[in-house]
Amino acid sequence: MNPTALVAIVFAPMTSLQSYVCGQWTAGSGDPVALHDPSTEAIIGDVRPGGVDFAATVAHARTVGGPALRALTFQQRGQILKGLSKVIHEHRDELIEIAGRNGGNTRGDAKFDLDGASGTLAYYAHLSKELPETPWLTDGAGTQLGRTARFWSEHVMLPRPGVALHINAFNFPAWGMGEKLACSILAGMPVVSKAGTASGMLAWRVSQLLVASGLLPEGSFQFLAGSVAKMVDHMQAMDVVAFTGSARTGARIRSNPACIENSVRVNIEADSINSAVLGPDCDIDDDTFTQFITNLHQDITQKAGQKCTAVRRILVPKDKLDDFKEQLIDRLESTRIGNALDGDSRMGPVASKAQLDDVRGGIETLQAECDTVIGGPEAMDRPGYFVKPTLLQARDNDAAILHKLEVFGPCATILPYDGKAETAIDLINRGGGCLVASAYSDDKKWLRELVTGIAPWHGRVWVGSEKTMGHALGPGAVLPGSIHGGPGRAGGGEELGGLRGLTPYLQRTAVQGDRAIVGRNFGVEE
Ligand code: NAP
């Protein structure tokens, strides 16, 4: 391990996170919640839940940030995003260190998060170039409603004059914040961004850098380090809540009386029991098989399995089971687990003691219906919140818990199946609605049947075949050009997907009248 890094861990000064609200950095109040280095369990900082005037914060966004953003064109807002992307990239090394210290991210994990943030901001900056100079976007072609064009309808989409409350999970402090911010700011809605507490130090530092850049108009970006639960009570008709986290918290936000009474737009990105299925045509020497193993290994170990898109259920044809297990076990056993700040580590700890307890308890619950192939819930012989990479195998197709319980750590379960698409469809859809499913095959007929059967239950279906080898990022990567989100237990939300990502922050309105007046761009030359 790098000795300088060790000194930094042991002698790290205590950092008390602050919120940025109403134009200034504000200390929290109330009992401190400790922030840990999950590799060593050392306390390195804290967050205090109170101290923020929620009514004033949302009012500042609505009355100062919103008008300032709406006064800019889409292209000008895109230029802001471009600048923010650069700021994150320029401070990459410092931010990687923080992600290691407070999030337990290896260098690779931290880059994934940070480059995801800067890349998504840059993507939306680029997208802004193709948007019109008008304050609105037009949705589709206009429609003649009467016998003549004197009665015409045009659909326009304008930024909602409210505040976008972004609540993020602990696992992607930078990317989660960046992807929501990019869509909101480009659409023209001011943001209050709340980080998951356990790994909040990275989001806090990124926020400091974004604010210090001076690129964001006053009131267009505020950051909350402490508790956000009571802010949801302040939501009004033009506001948006974009939440990422557990299904349990998502349900609480969705059922908040202020959100219900005011028809607040609520987008929920919740947890998901994602699956990967190997087609019956794949043999051990095929590139498609190799991708299956490589991507599974990455999903189980990257961020210690704390990715909402990570594969939790692995469907393998019974006649390929031995080859499959041998290869994946080999890869998992050779993964170097260690202190996230050690450059040699390929898998770090989970983010907090609460996560550690949750993951161990979850593996024990799954063991009631599954055999342990490798790993398990037992403590590792070292300090820190480490979990062994764990592979389980369902005893039979009646096992039910594995379709319902998300173990948010380095753990996945194998489901042997008969290779038929219809069996795979039945098993995969028992997940009740998921973010992503991946299928590995070069048999178009089999794929067509499978994809048709599972697509309605998923936000994304990723197909790995011989030709994608070396050309495609794995199914765990959330790319801004495709939608992210899923139906049912995954929350029913949708984010990203190019310009689709702006729609939660825009109000679509049908404007009707004489085409010469309400027609495209209100008669203003395009
Ligand atoms: P969580 O406990 O639900 O917390 C998520 C966020 O909600 C945190 O910022 C949390 O703040 C905040 N929160 C807690 N109680 C709240 C309340 N009553 N009202 C409003 N906000 C509240 O989830 P997590 O443990 O951070 O994240 C892990 C989960 O997120 C996993 O289940 C994972 O699958 C899911 N996830 C989903 C996606 C996706 O895109 N679908 C992406 C990443 C993660 P505090 O941290 O201060 O409690």
Side-chain angles (χ1 to χ4, degrees):
M1 175 176 178
N2 169 349
T4 325
L6 187 60
V7 169
I9 294 163
V10 176
F11 299 106
M14 283 283 291
T15 307
S16 222
L17 305 195
Q18 296 187 318
S19 296
Y20 181 72
V21 289
C22 300
Q24 57 190 11
W25 288 96
T26 308
S29 65
D31 292 340
V33 177
L35 296 179
H36 292 88
D37 175 343
S39 297
T40 63
E41 303 180 31
I43 295 178
I44 56 172
D46 63 42
V47 180
R48 288 168 196 267
V52 170
D53 180 338
F54 293 142
T57 304
V58 292
H60 188 63
R62 290 183 194 122
T63 58
V64 180
L69 276 179
R70 294 195 295 275
L72 303 175
T73 63
F74 287 104
Q75 285 87 356
Q76 286 169 323
R77 300 197 287 256
Q79 282 304 306
I80 294 174
L81 300 183
K82 188 175 173 188
L84 299 181
S85 166
K86 277 192 190 155
V87 168
I88 294 176
H89 191 70
E90 280 163 11
H91 291 81
R92 196 167 176 251
D93 285 338
E94 177 203 345
L95 297 172
I96 287 173
E97 155 94 12
I98 296 172
R101 277 183 60 211
N102 180 221
N105 286 204
T106 63
R107 220 181 140 71
D109 291 344
K111 284 188 206 163
F112 189 56
D113 186 21
L114 290 161
D115 295 349
S118 54
T120 304
L121 287 160
Y123 170 88
Y124 276 98
H126 185 71
L127 217 56
S128 72
K129 291 184 193 161
E130 62 190 55
L131 297 181
E133 303 242 335
T134 51
W136 58 82
L137 297 179
T138 20
D139 178 30
T143 309
Q144 187 169 313
L145 299 174
R147 280 191 299 116
T148 69
R150 296 298 159 129
F151 192 31
W152 185 261
S153 167
E154 200 74 49
H155 288 85
V156 297
M157 300 205 293
L158 282 143
R160 291 164 74 96
V163 54
L165 175 57
H166 293 169
I167 304 175
N168 290 304
F170 72 83
N171 60 332
F172 281 103
W175 197 342
M177 180 201 277
E179 67 177 20
K180 288 185 173 66
L181 187 67
C183 293
S184 254
I185 296 290
L186 184 56
M189 268 197 93
V191 169
V192 174
S193 185
K194 149 77 179 142
T197 295
S199 62
M201 205 173 271
L202 179 64
W204 166 74
R205 181 63 187 136
V206 170
S207 299
Q208 278 189 329
L209 295 169
L210 300 187
V211 170
S213 75
L215 290 162
L216 287 154
E218 177 55 41
S220 64
F221 174 75
Q222 300 179 83
F223 171 76
L224 275 189
S227 172
V228 73
K230 292 271 179 261
M231 186 175 272
V232 184
D233 298 342
H234 293 261
M235 293 293 99
Q236 296 178 358
M238 285 295 111
D239 297 338
V240 175
V241 181
F243 167 83
T244 297
S246 63
R248 199 178 49 242
T249 313
R252 290 183 69 175
I253 292 172
R254 205 196 293 280
S255 56
N256 178 288
C259 293
I260 294 173
E261 281 159 27
N262 300 319
S263 304
V264 173
R265 265 198 199 157
V266 178
N267 193 73
I268 305 281
E269 301 286 349
D271 53 49
S272 173
I273 322 285
N274 310 299
S275 43
V277 53
L278 183 69
D281 58 305
C282 296
D283 286 322
I284 185 166
D285 299 325
D286 294 347
D287 281 351
T288 311
F289 193 99
T290 306
Q291 286 176 83
F292 186 55
I293 298 290
T294 304
N295 290 342
L296 286 173
H297 173 250
Q298 182 171 52
D299 262 8
I300 294 170
T301 57
Q302 189 173 44
K303 287 210 154 239
Q306 300 163 111
K307 280 192 319 196
C308 55
T309 51
V311 172
R312 307 291 171 201
R313 300 174 294 158
I314 310 170
L315 279 69
V316 182
K318 286 179 184 153
D319 61 334
K320 322 266 180 211
L321 205 54
D322 292 342
D323 284 343
F324 164 75
K325 282 205 252 186
E326 192 183 326
Q327 288 215 6
L328 188 56
I329 290 171
D330 193 41
R331 296 283 281 272
L332 290 173
E333 281 182 340
S334 60
T335 305
R336 225 172 289 119
I337 301 170
N339 189 310
L341 291 173
D342 181 341
D344 288 337
S345 296
R346 290 293 167 267
M347 188 178 110
V350 294
S352 65
K353 175 72 168 61
Q355 264 298 111
L356 179 70
D357 294 344
D358 254 25
V359 172
R360 283 203 192 137
I363 295 173
E364 277 172 16
T365 305
L366 290 180
Q367 282 175 326
E369 293 180 339
C370 305
D371 296 321
T372 308
V373 176
I374 176 179
E378 297 77 20
M380 288 184 76
D381 187 18
R382 56 181 309 147
Y385 309 138
F386 290 91
V387 180
K388 298 175 196 167
T390 298
L391 204 52
L392 306 171
Q393 181 173 326
R395 286 191 199 114
D396 53 49
N397 279 1
D398 292 333
I401 305 167
L402 62 96
H403 299 291
K404 296 192 166 34
L405 178 70
E406 181 202 47
V407 177
F408 203 57
C411 172
T413 303
I414 306 167
L415 286 101
Y417 82 110
D418 58 14
K420 290 182 185 160
E422 61 174 331
T423 312
I425 293 166
D426 171 37
L427 289 168
I428 291 170
N429 290 348
R430 289 186 202 178
C434 297
L435 296 173
V436 57
S438 42
Y440 296 77
S441 172
D442 286 275
D443 179 340
K444 286 185 183 162
K445 191 162 168 285
W446 184 89
L447 278 170
R448 186 188 156 101
E449 185 183 347
L450 180 93
V451 173
T452 309
I454 64 174
W457 289 88
H458 292 81
R460 189 156 57 86
V461 177
W462 187 101
V463 177
S465 57
E466 199 185 352
K467 295 279 166 53
T468 56
M469 179 90 164
H471 291 275
L473 289 175
V478 170
L479 301 172
S482 291
I483 56 161
H484 172 61
R489 70 160 291 153
E494 229 178 58
E495 287 182 327
L496 301 171
L499 286 181
R500 296 176 192 89
L502 273 57
T503 46
Y505 307 105
L506 298 168
Q507 178 62 40
R508 190 192 336 257
T509 307
V511 183
Q512 301 174 325
D514 179 358
R515 182 179 185 177
I517 297 175
V518 306
R520 199 158 269 252
N521 293 334
F522 290 86
V524 179
E525 288 301 316
E526 289 187 64

